[in-house]
Amino acid sequence: MARFVRPSAVAVVLALLTASACSDQSSSTNETSDATSADVSETTVGAELPDPNDLSAVCFSPVVIQTDWFPQAEHGGIYELLGDDYQVDVERGATTGSLVFRGVDTGVDLEIRAGGPFIESPVVTEMFLDGSIMFGYVGTDVALARQAETPTLAVFNALSVNPQVIMWDAAKHPDATTIADIAKEVPAISVFGDRPFMRYLVNQNLVPAEKVDGNYKGNLLLTTDDVAHQGFVTSEPHRYATLESGAVTVGYQLLHDTGWTSYPQNLAINKLRLDALRPCLSKLVPMMQHAQIDYMVDSKRANAIIIDAVTRFDTYWQQDEALTTYAVDTMIRLGIVANGDTPTFGDFESPRIDEFIARAIPILREQGLEIPDLVAADIATNEFLDPTITLALP
């Protein structure tokens, strides 16, 4: 980008070492005499204090975030941090600009990479293949499945509740209110392949095994077939309701409400890089907490960036103001973005994760994956969150 030059990783390390050496020297000087101590004190009062929003001494630039799909409202909090100088790289599916926190340039750039067709491997694999990626979107279930090969550590949950649902045509099935209800009324429930959550629903006797169809292609299937299918409450209900061929009103149940309580959109790091990233995480993660809240309060600017990026990519995936507004409203209405059971926004609640681990690991092992015995602390941490930051929507 045609901007000022950010410090290199070597420069960052040298700056930190120099600062440390100066600090030690200053401490030694202060101990020599009361007069010297007084002089230093007077000098310190007039000195310029470090900018709390400056990330240039602790973070690599750009801060790279690998998302799991095209830009969408579920990623709104990170687009909230993108400066107005952003540029879109259509070929790479990357949107890059200054990392700006509440109007202040932090001294580093932010690069948000789209997933889907722009990456050749799952997000967790990309994180280990490309060392420039600092964060990836990794759900709790994926973190468990890949912990042995590509261990990740979630440091902030952008969404407290998974927006994934099973949906159906409400006009054809007016009495169905749950997945168990609709499973009795349709010949099939269509999903992408062998999904762990479907195995869970079968194990819970909510869906008969013979009704699971793993051949779903992501199309608006309810316009052609009387079935149920997986989807996202932040997207498909709006798309069905605004069809030019005629609106379809959908019924749905959140997977979360069945007990499949995976945190879906965690910002996670390569766990092997924890110590190296710790100084940056300590300053950046609280900014992410605030940015997600700011997005939920006023999403207009970030949504415009999301729409612009998707438009420039010019693919089959589309976003417009009506859809992004619907998604934000739905996330608020259903508590998809929420504090959870504690007042701290974006934290991971150990009882919930441990209970999910107990449900998910046996299923993942049934699928042939080698999963070690794990606890919540193995895959998520609240170390870098500011516990005083809480979501309080008007």
Side-chain angles (χ1 to χ4, degrees), residues 360-376:
I361 285 185
I363 292 173
L364 295 171
R365 286 172 176 165
E366 284 177 8
Q367 292 181 303
L369 298 175
E370 295 184 7
I371 312 294
D373 292 332
L374 299 167
V375 295

Side-chain angles (χ1 to χ4, degrees), residues 249-279:
T249 301
V250 301
Y252 59 81
Q253 184 183 19
L254 290 164
L255 294 178
H256 180 88
D257 291 341
T258 69
W260 190 256
T261 54
S262 170
Y263 285 102
Q265 294 258 284
N266 304 326
L267 283 158
I269 63 167
N270 176 336
K271 192 175 179 179
L272 304 180
R273 301 178 64 197
L274 175 60
D275 289 338
L277 296 177
R278 181 172 272 113

Side-chain angles (χ1 to χ4, degrees), residues 102-337:
R102 293 185 164 177
V104 178
D105 191 320
T106 64
V108 298
D109 286 337
L110 172 64
E111 180 173 292
I112 305 172
R113 298 180 183 176
F118 291 102
I119 54 178
E120 297 180 356
S121 307
V123 171
V124 287
T125 303
E126 293 289 329
M127 292 170 66
F128 280 76
L129 291 175
D130 185 347
S132 71
I133 299 173
M134 181 173 181
F135 296 101
Y137 275 86
V138 183
T140 309
D141 49 354
V142 176
L144 293 174
R146 299 297 299 274
Q147 197 67 198
E149 299 175 347
T150 50
T152 57
L153 185 70
V155 297
F156 171 56
N157 91 70
L159 307 184
S160 179
V161 171
N162 191 342
Q164 278 191 303
V165 296
I166 298 297
M167 62 182 62
W168 56 89
D169 188 329
K172 295 179 179 177
H173 303 279
D175 296 327
T177 59
T178 67
I179 294 171
D181 290 340
I182 197 63
K184 298 174 183 176
E185 299 184 22
V186 294
I189 297 180
S190 296
V191 295
F192 292 106
D194 184 10
R195 310 301 291 181
F197 67 77
M198 282 305 297
R199 289 197 176 212
Y200 168 76
L201 296 177
V202 170
N203 291 347
Q204 295 297 305
N205 296 316
L206 299 176
V207 175
E210 64 272 15
K211 289 194 175 185
V212 177
D213 173 18
N215 297 309
Y216 183 53
K217 305 301 181 185
N219 57 317
L220 297 180
L221 196 55
L222 303 187
T223 59
T224 57
D225 298 272
D226 183 20
V227 296
H229 68 78
Q230 76 171 85
F232 289 84
V233 71
T234 48
S235 178
E236 278 91 346
H238 173 79
R239 295 180 186 276
Y240 274 118
T242 55
L243 287 172
E244 292 184 2
S245 58
V248 175
T249 301
V250 301
Y252 59 81
Q253 184 183 19
L254 290 164
L255 294 178
H256 180 88
D257 291 341
T258 69
W260 190 256
T261 54
S262 170
Y263 285 102
Q265 294 258 284
N266 304 326
L267 283 158
I269 63 167
N270 176 336
K271 192 175 179 179
L272 304 180
R273 301 178 64 197
L274 175 60
D275 289 338
L277 296 177
R278 181 172 272 113
C280 181
L281 293 169
S282 297
K283 295 191 71 171
L284 180 53
V285 171
M287 292 182 182
M288 290 180 160
Q289 290 176 270
H290 280 301
Q292 183 74 3
I293 293 174
D294 292 346
Y295 174 72
M296 300 310 297
V297 172
D298 184 1
S299 61
K300 185 174 181 180
R301 176 185 168 277
N303 281 346
I305 298 175
I306 290 170
I307 294 167
D308 182 40
V310 171
T311 301
R312 291 172 185 265
F313 292 158
D314 192 23
T315 68
Y316 62 87
W317 182 254
Q318 301 295 314
Q319 290 279 308
D320 58 27
E321 185 176 355
L323 177 56
T324 53
T325 299
Y326 162 82
V328 172
D329 291 345
T330 300
M331 288 191 287
I332 293 172
R333 176 172 57 87
L334 297 180
I336 289 170
V337 176

